Amino acid sequence: MSEIEKLEQATLAAISGAGDDAALEAVRVSALGKKGSVSELLKTLGSMSPDERKVQGPLINGLRDRVTAALAARKSDLADADLNKRLETERVDVTLPARPESQGRIHPITQVMDELTAIFADMGFSVAEGPDIEFDDFNFTKLNIPPEHPARQMHDTFYMAPQKDGSRPVLRTHTSPVQVRTMMSQKPPIRIIVPGRTYRSDSDQTHTPMFHQVEGLVIDQTTHMGHLKWVLEEFCKAFFEVPKVTMRFRPSYFPFTEPSAEVDMQCERRGNEIRFGEGNDWLEILGCGMVHPKVLENCGLDPERYQGFAFGAGIDRLAMLKYGIPDLRPFFESDLRWLRHYGFAALDFPTLAGGLAR
Ligand code: PHE
C-alpha cells in the first residue's frame, strides 16, 4: 500500500470515528489545516518535476477531494443523529398552559361584538350576516333610497367597477342591506342582529373608511315602538352595566323607517370620563324606527300583515364609550402595544352569567 493510500485510510477512519462536531473539526485541521497531513502533501507538488507531478497530482488532489467529501458527509450524519436524539427525548406537552407573554389579546371590536351578541341572544335574537361587497339594489334601492335620491349623498359610498348590466356594486355603507337579505329569505317572525364591517369614504379622529355597525331587525304581526324602546333600554343597561339608563328618542329621518328616531343616552361628562344614567348631557348612540311599509313590500312581505322595527348602532363608538378609548384610528393600526393595553384576555368569553368584560 502506498503512503498516500495509507494516509487516506487513516484519515477516513478518523473521520468516521469522530463522535461530535469538535472531534470532527480536529480531524479536519489535522488533515486539511495549514499544517495538515494532506496540505503538506499538496505542498510537495510544487517541487516535483513535471513528469512526477503528472502522476502524483491526480493522486494527491483525489485524496484531498475524498477527504473533503467524507468530512461533509460525516458532518451531516452527526447533525441528523443529533436531531433524531432530540426528537426522541424532547416531547411537547400540549396540556401545559400557554405562557402569559405568548397569549394573544381579543380586539375591543371583537370583544364588543361578543358582548352584544350575548345580550341580544338572551332576548331571543340570532346573528345574521351578509357580504361586504353589496348590490347597490340591496344597499340603497330596496331600502327605499332610489337612484338620484338625496339620501345617497349622506353616505360617502365606495363604488366598484360597473357590472355588465350597468349596476355598480358598493362596499356596503351600513349593515341595513342584511335586513333586505333576511326578509327576502325568511318568513316572519324575524328577530336578528347583524354585527359587521361597513365602509364610507371618510377619515378623521372619529371616522375611519372601514368601521363597524350592528343592525337589529324584528318583524312579526304585532311588534310596535314600545317593544323597540324596551329592547334598546335593556340592551344599554346590560352593555354599559348600569342599573338604569335614561334615553331620549329624537324624531329623525331615515328613508327605510317611518317613524324614525335617533336615540340619545343621558350622561355626565367629567374630563375624559363619561358616566351613564346621570347628568345633564345627552350622547347620540343609534338610529332606529319602524320598518317602512315600502321596504317590507320591496322585500316581498305584505305590509298589511307584517310590521316591526329596525335599529343601527356604531360598534366602534360603543367600544370607545364603554372602554374609554379616545381615538378611533389606532383600532385599525395593528399596534401590539395598543392591543395589549386595550385588548381582552382570550379565554374570558363574555356571557351574561359570567360577566361581560373582566
Ligand atoms: N343604517 C342607518 C345608518 O347607517 C342606521 C339605521 C338602521 C337607522 C336601522 C334606522 C334603522 O345611518
Side-chain angles (χ1 to χ4, degrees):
M1 198 188 280
S2 74
E3 286 305 309
I4 293 182
E5 283 169 337
K6 274 189 201 151
L7 177 59
E8 174 161 352
Q9 219 173 50
T11 310
L12 295 184
I15 289 172
S16 50
D20 57 29
D21 277 349
L24 190 64
E25 176 63 8
V27 179
R28 187 193 68 79
V29 170
S30 78
L32 298 176
K34 247 194 200 140
K35 299 230 163 71
S37 48
V38 177
S39 307
E40 294 294 338
L41 264 181
L42 281 163
K43 280 182 209 158
T44 62
L45 285 172
S47 53
M48 287 179 193
S49 68
D51 283 348
E52 207 180 347
R53 196 180 300 135
K54 233 185 216 150
V55 180
Q56 294 295 321
L59 293 179
I60 299 177
N61 282 314
L63 167 66
R64 184 203 46 206
D65 293 349
R66 286 189 294 281
V67 168
T68 306
L71 282 166
R74 182 68 187 150
K75 197 174 171 74
S76 106
D77 283 353
L78 284 174
D80 283 353
D82 199 43
L83 182 62
N84 283 333
K85 202 164 106 198
R86 278 178 46 204
L87 286 175
E88 263 170 39
T89 53
E90 291 177 12
R91 290 257 190 284
V92 176
D93 184 350
V94 294
T95 64
L96 285 174
R99 285 188 216 102
E101 66 274 17
S102 65
Q103 265 173 11
R105 306 288 286 172
I106 299 294
H107 195 286
I109 298 285
T110 309
Q111 173 75 18
V112 166
M113 283 189 181
D114 289 345
E115 289 179 23
L116 45 94
T117 301
I119 296 168
F120 281 109
D122 193 55
M123 293 193 264
F125 286 72
S126 56
V127 172
E129 287 181 314
D132 291 10
I133 299 175
E134 187 54 281
F135 300 118
D136 180 296
D137 186 42
F138 289 3
N139 194 83
F140 293 121
T141 314
K142 285 213 167 31
L143 289 167
N144 199 28
I145 318 176
E148 316 308 331
H149 191 284
R152 292 207 180 200
Q153 265 83 67
M154 285 160 51
H155 298 204
D156 302 295
T157 311
F158 287 112
Y159 284 95
M160 316 288 285
Q163 304 284 89
K164 280 208 189 71
D165 64 4
S167 70
R168 302 181 74 180
V170 298
L171 288 181
R172 65 180 183 190
T173 58
H174 49 180
T175 40
S176 303
V178 185
Q179 286 191 37
V180 174
R181 287 175 175 274
T182 306
M183 286 189 274
M184 287 174 66
S185 63
Q186 290 176 27
K187 283 270 147 276
I190 291 170
R191 211 183 274 180
I192 54 153
I193 57 161
V194 186
R197 276 187 290 272
T198 47
Y199 306 83
R200 290 182 201 179
S201 177
D202 208 351
S203 189
D204 60 39
Q205 187 175 341
T206 52
H207 296 88
T208 47
M210 182 199 70
F211 58 107
H212 299 80
Q213 289 190 337
V214 59
E215 193 86 6
L217 176 70
V218 174
I219 303 285
D220 55 30
Q221 297 189 17
T222 54
T223 290
H224 54 70
M225 241 174 139
H227 298 127
L228 167 64
K229 292 180 87 168
W230 181 84
V231 163
L232 291 178
E233 210 170 289
E234 287 305 301
F235 166 70
C236 287
K237 282 194 293 192
F239 181 73
F240 290 109
E241 304 182 63
V242 289
K244 166 181 155 286
V245 290
T246 310
M247 304 177 90
R248 180 168 79 173
F249 282 66
R250 248 183 316 108
S252 182
Y253 171 75
F254 299 103
F256 34 92
T257 46
E258 183 60 37
S260 303
E262 277 172 299
V263 177
D264 303 330
M265 265 172 68
Q266 188 185 30
C267 66
E268 157 119 49
R269 289 173 206 258
R270 288 193 204 121
N272 266 342
E273 209 193 327
I274 298 186
R275 282 166 190 280
F276 293 104
E278 51 189 282
N280 302 316
D281 234 342
W282 296 95
L283 191 88
E284 184 193 322
I285 56 158
L286 56 85
C288 62
M290 298 303 292
V291 176
H292 198 294
K294 275 203 187 132
V295 174
L296 293 170
E297 210 171 275
N298 291 343
C299 299
L301 296 180
D302 179 2
E304 295 298 326
R305 196 161 162 217
Y306 294 115
Q307 61 182 41
F309 64 76
F311 59 85
I315 290 182
D316 320 80
R317 196 169 151 77
L318 289 175
M320 289 168 80
L321 287 173
K322 179 165 179 180
Y323 295 113
I325 307 174
D327 191 340
L328 177 61
R329 289 164 299 190
F331 273 72
F332 311 117
E333 284 171 359
S334 302
D335 185 332
L336 284 177
R337 295 163 304 176
W338 186 91
L339 261 179
R340 262 180 223 122
H341 182 75
Y342 286 113
F344 293 82
L347 299 176
D348 279 348
F349 196 79
T351 62
L352 291 181
L356 291 175
R358 278 175 280 175

